[in-house]
């Protein structure tokens, strides 16, 4: 299997197709709105708990840079998370992006965001890693997933990053979307 910029191929002869895809992606992907899950996309889906019961997570600094680049390219970014831990809002505040926490119905939330912003779903990318992201992914033009997402989510994704969750998923997508 050959992997090149978010795509998987069964033979090295398919690399030419991958290069063409990259060129077409940059010309025809017109993403205006990026919706990210937090755990499993911006993190590696693990949680660290200290002796005081406080939870922490690790995020990839490259994703912060990718978010900066995407924002400079006028792509709006939000985080939708079922997580209630304040670590999500602390990180998104630092990155200068909005987040919705305690979101138990991501499909309804995405539908509302698309309607509120009067944006064509074809101009929306949703990046999720687990089955609670499936309904939201089905509502957008470009569902995407990290390499280590749940198998059901990988089947829904039009774009699968080489990066695993928490290891530069957003940075990789920034390269795909804006070069």
């Amino acid at each position: 299997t050959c992997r090149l910029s978010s795509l998987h191929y069964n033979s090295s002869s398919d690399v030419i197709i991958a290069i063409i895809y990259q060129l077409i992606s940059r010309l025809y992907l017109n993403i205006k709105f990026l919706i990210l899950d937090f755990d499993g996309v911006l993190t590696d889906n693990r949680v660290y708990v200290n002796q005081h019961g406080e939870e922490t997570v690790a995020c990839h600094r490259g994703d912060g840079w990718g978010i900066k680049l995407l924002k400079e390219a006028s792509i709006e970014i939000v985080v939708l998370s079922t997580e209630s831990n304040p670590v999500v809002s602390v990180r998104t505040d630092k990155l200068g992006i909005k987040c919705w926490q305690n979101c138990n119905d991501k499909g309804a939330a995405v539908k509302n965001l698309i309607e509120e912003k009067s944006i064509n779903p074809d101009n929306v990318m949703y990046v999720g890693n687990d089955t609670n992201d499936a309904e939201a992914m089905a509502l957008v033009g470009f569902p995407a997933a990290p390499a280590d997402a749940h198998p059901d989510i990988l089947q829904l994704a039009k774009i699968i990053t080489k990066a695993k969750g928490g290891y530069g998923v957003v940075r990789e997508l920034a390269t795909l979307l804006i070069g």
Side-chain angles (χ1 to χ4, degrees):
T1 299
C2 178
R3 299 174 83 181
L4 182 65
S5 280
S6 308
L7 296 175
H8 306 270
Y9 294 98
N10 293 326
S11 72
S12 59
S13 64
D14 289 337
V15 170
I16 293 171
I17 294 170
I19 293 168
I20 292 169
Y21 177 83
Q22 283 183 334
L23 295 171
I24 291 170
S25 294
R26 290 195 182 132
L27 292 172
Y28 295 103
L29 281 181
N30 191 18
I31 302 302
K32 306 266 187 225
F33 192 42
L34 176 62
I35 306 170
L36 304 169
D37 182 18
F38 188 79
D39 291 319
V41 173
L42 292 173
T43 77
D44 64 3
N45 221 14
R46 296 186 298 164
V47 62
Y48 304 96
V49 182
N50 70 18
Q51 68 272 20
H52 305 290
E54 299 165 329
E55 294 182 358
T56 59
V57 296
C59 296
H60 195 280
R61 291 214 183 263
D63 284 336
W65 187 251
I67 286 169
K68 177 187 180 300
L69 295 173
L70 290 164
K71 287 170 52 180
E72 288 174 355
S74 300
I75 296 173
E76 185 177 356
I77 306 165
V78 300
V79 168
L80 274 185
S81 180
T82 57
E83 181 58 56
S84 62
N85 191 306
V87 71
V88 178
S89 59
V90 169
R91 181 65 180 152
T92 56
D93 286 349
K94 183 173 182 177
L95 295 170
I97 57 177
K98 295 178 184 175
C99 79
W100 281 266
Q101 291 186 248
N102 300 307
C103 182
N104 293 317
D105 188 345
K106 292 182 179 183
V110 167
K111 184 178 179 192
N112 288 337
L113 284 168
I114 289 170
E115 288 173 3
E116 269 178 30
K117 297 185 177 303
S118 299
I119 191 165
N120 183 331
D122 290 340
N123 300 122
V124 180
M125 178 180 283
Y126 183 99
V127 188
N129 74 303
D130 215 329
T131 55
N132 65 333
D133 296 304
E135 186 180 343
M137 291 174 76
L139 296 172
V140 303
F142 288 94
D148 60 342
H150 187 279
D152 292 347
I153 295 304
L154 293 173
Q155 291 296 315
L156 292 173
K158 289 184 181 176
I159 297 171
I160 299 170
T161 62
K162 291 188 297 184
K164 293 180 179 179
Y167 290 94
V169 169
V170 178
R171 182 63 184 96
E172 184 178 331
L173 289 171
T175 299
L176 177 71
L177 296 174
I178 59 175

